[in-house]
Amino acid sequence: MTATREKLKVTPSGGPAGAYVTGIDLSHTLEAEEAAALKQALADHLVIALPDQAISLDDLERLTDQLGGRDITPFVKPLADRPYVIRILKEPQDKLNFANAWHTDLSYLPAPPSYTLLYCLECPPTGGDTLFANQYRAFETLAPDLREELLGLDAVHSAGMAYGDGGYLDRVKHMLSTEIEPSKDARREQIHPAVVSHPDTGNPALYINQVYTTRIDGWEKSQSDDLLARLAKQSVDESLVWRLKWAKGTLAIWDNRATQHFAMNDYQGYRREMVRTSVKGAAPKRAKF
């Protein structure tokens, strides 16, 4: 093992998710053992933060490829020469920010991304943190009878409420610096199990979020709404949440199969700029009884 790899260190956050990874330089192509170590840290902690990284967009895309391959992010305008990279930007005069609601990235797709990578180019002196909620624990902390019921249920996901023509982001896009591309295609629906089995760990994770999950498949609306409201509250209980404070040069990677996240909007008057990529995933599989 090389000296560089010997220095790689994973320090747990001490919370219900999250770890800091140091001793690795992402401006170079990772060796197989380093890429495997990052994936293991993600399997163990769901979210990892790698501080003090000086990387280019080429480096970001190369790392995305090493973790499983680049994927498109629908309904958000990519960089002109980088179809797999989106820019997450809030200017000082903006009142709204992007991703200011609990969600799992792109759960409305047939094969949602496995990981998301977010690299900090500029952040405010205070505020602008991102919160992450552990969805293994969200499932574990439900009542046993509800866990059993959820294992047999499917949920309907759609981007329509957020990105559909006439949807929320369409109505407020003039107030955002992140460039949104609303579409009628966002109203397509996708069904996934309410509880999924993580493909690497086998652990069951609650797979419902308040932005993209529209209803429990086959249920009456009132019954479905009641359950989704109950799950939305439980899935992001403060006991499940780790808070990441950003600094310029920090790269965060999180596992969409077992987390939700929320971007705080508490830094009015300051600029925050990130670039983001997604790693290809597979269709979610139902957790076993």
Side-chain angles (χ1 to χ4, degrees), residues 97-104 209-211 260-264:
N97 69 323
F98 185 73
N100 184 228
W102 282 107
H103 66 288
T104 298
N209 67 89
Q210 61 183 280
V211 172
Q260 291 190 46
H261 60 282
F262 181 107
M264 297 295 293

Side-chain angles (χ1 to χ4, degrees), residues 73-80 82-83 85-88 163 178-182:
T73 298
F75 316 125
V76 181
K77 186 177 180 179
L79 298 186
R82 306 266 180 174
V85 181
I86 64 171
R87 184 186 190 206
I88 309 300
Y163 295 104
T178 300
E179 296 187 71
I180 306 301
E181 297 184 320

